[in-house]
Amino acid sequence: MTGSGPFSKYLSKLSPFWRRELGFVALLGGFGLLVMPFLIYLAGVLTLGPYEGGLLAFLGSLMGAVFTAKPSAWLLVIGPYLLFTGVRLLTRPFRRQA
């Protein structure tokens, strides 16, 4: 994570653990923001039928909820990271120590 970007001087001061966690948050938060809404829409269409306004109306209402800081929408965004962290914590006793 070195480079000459605007955050490089701050990232270089972080410990390797926090740099790795920040990478996980960015990767899984991006997944929750960009991929999960499409998967949820697909699951809803397959089980409940078509959404009344279509995909763009669904994405618009969801992103509106994210930007107005509704807890349910933010749980969607950070849900993959929370699930990943929970699995890491639960499997920690079973990992070999190097």
Side-chain angles (χ1 to χ4, degrees), residues 16-37:
F17 171 79
W18 287 111
R19 278 194 299 242
R20 186 176 60 239
E21 281 301 309
L22 191 59
F24 287 146
V25 168
L27 179 70
L28 294 169
F31 180 82
L33 191 62
L34 300 174
V35 177
M36 286 295 289

Side-chain angles (χ1 to χ4, degrees), residues 16-76:
F17 171 79
W18 287 111
R19 278 194 299 242
R20 186 176 60 239
E21 281 301 309
L22 191 59
F24 287 146
V25 168
L27 179 70
L28 294 169
F31 180 82
L33 191 62
L34 300 174
V35 177
M36 286 295 289
F38 291 103
L39 295 176
I40 290 170
Y41 178 78
L42 179 65
V45 166
L46 293 176
T47 57
L48 303 173
Y51 191 76
E52 191 167 306
L55 177 62
L56 289 178
F58 173 75
L59 291 175
S61 65
L62 183 62
M63 290 305 137
V66 168
F67 289 121
T68 56
K70 293 202 177 184
S72 58
W74 276 100
L75 189 60
L76 168 75

